[in-house]
Amino acid sequence: MNDGVGTAQRALALLDLGRPAEAERLFRQALVGDPANADLLGHLSRAVLIQERYAEARDLARQTLAADPEDLNGLLVLSAASAGLKEFPAAVSAVEHALRIAPGHPAIHRQKGAVLIAQDRAEEALAPLERARALDPEDAQTLATIGAAYLELRRYSEAERAIAEALRLDPDSIQAHQNRGLLELRRGGGKSAVEAHRTALRLDPTDQYSREGLAIAMKSRNPLYGQFLRFGDWVNSLSSGARWTILLTPIIASRILRPFDDRLWAQVTLAILVALVVLSWSIEPLMNAVLLCSSYARNLLPRETKLATYAFLAYLAAAASSVIVGLTVESDAALILAGCLVLWSISAGQTHLVDISRRKIAVRLQVAGALIAAAAAIAIALDASFTNAALPVFFLLGLAMLWFTAFA
């Protein structure tokens, strides 16, 4: 029994040192001798939660609460894990239950604020977060979460003050460094964003958000990418109607400029608009392709991003080959196919940005597009009669796929 207690104590020390994987192993060892121990189950669920295994953490938290229905640690983990899984009713229920048990516990008020932020209710989150701050003014995590709420509300000066105060209280706060990096990205990125995310990653090399944030920050060192990043953030802050108006501006402009299509200024204006649209859609996969050239940066990219970028490059290689064939044998169909492939390459390079609930659909559509492209190439090689009629349809499908990836 004493050995089990010692194992649990060592596990807690490792958890406090930010080594949850090692702590998890020791907690599981301690549980062998006392499998229904609510404290051990609660600590184990927290170690698993820190590793972002939300479903497993949720299930362990439920086991904790089965052993002790009023275990605060179990309720907090259940709330956080449920929010990570976007099971918000369960997350809210758990945190409200905890508040009824211990209304003066600052961590519970902070968790309520975090759940509200995850639900895109940052304005409402400020009240419980300020309550948590009043109960414990020296808690850096609360200040970092307040900074996250202000970031969501785009109140950047207030976010900056909250983040700075969090870092004053705890210079090693991973969340505060991540938020500082996000703040710099909202302002256009560059060196300061890289520095903040690199510091967060140094503090926890396994943290997924720090890795992805550093990858974006490294891309933002390209001034053009940084400007598009700021523009995208500004567009997202607008109402749905305003966003649609901006996104449809090139189409609206082409209609307005049609009576003047013989004028040079109109042609230049339309060309610039089209170039900006193409660049805004292609700069993400282009910058990811640049990161793939570095072994360090390549390891920062999630698997989905790498696959999307490889698909982008494969489509581009196919387009280049189609251009070479078209020019060599003077085939207009091959040149048209190249244009279609470029459209599909841009949409493929953004597949990882599609909402996770629709990502499988996007991947299946890309696979279908690749099969159609292969069939079109074979038809061109065989000089099939239906090719000229089929290619415009493939081109329109490519345009539709671009819009799908942009809005899905």
Side-chain angles (χ1 to χ4, degrees), residues 34-35 56 106 121 134 211 230-231 236 252 289 292 316 318 351 363 396:
D34 192 2
E56 190 177 347
R121 296 160 63 187
R211 297 172 73 84
R230 290 184 67 182
F231 176 75
N236 289 334
I252 297 169
L292 287 177
L316 278 188
T351 306
V363 171
L396 291 174

Side-chain angles (χ1 to χ4, degrees), residues 32-71:
V32 172
D34 192 2
N37 187 302
D39 286 339
L40 289 175
L41 284 166
H43 293 315
L44 174 60
S45 67
R46 186 157 65 94
V48 172
L49 175 70
I50 292 170
Q51 297 175 70
E52 298 172 6
R53 287 151 48 196
Y54 297 124
E56 190 177 347
R58 176 200 58 195
D59 294 342
L60 285 166
R62 286 173 177 169
Q63 291 180 45
T64 304
L65 295 169
D68 180 1
E70 295 194 347
D71 185 276

Side-chain angles (χ1 to χ4, degrees), residues 266-324:
Q267 295 170 1
V268 170
T269 302
L270 192 57
I272 291 172
L273 281 173
V274 171
L276 286 173
V277 170
V278 172
L279 186 59
S280 69
W281 277 340
S282 61
I283 195 166
E284 169 71 15
L286 284 171
M287 292 306 302
N288 286 333
V290 171
L291 292 189
L292 287 177
C293 297
S294 162
S295 58
Y296 174 78
R298 182 166 58 249
N299 290 329
L300 297 175
L301 296 174
R303 179 175 179 273
E304 295 81 5
T305 305
K306 290 179 186 176
L307 291 175
T309 309
Y310 289 137
F312 165 75
L313 294 173
Y315 270 121
L316 278 188
S321 301
S322 190
V323 168
I324 292 170

Side-chain angles (χ1 to χ4, degrees), residues 198-213:
R198 187 164 279 160
T199 301
L201 189 59
R202 177 177 53 79
L203 293 167
D204 183 1
T206 65
D207 187 87
Q208 172 190 347
Y209 298 107
S210 296
R211 297 172 73 84
E212 292 180 13

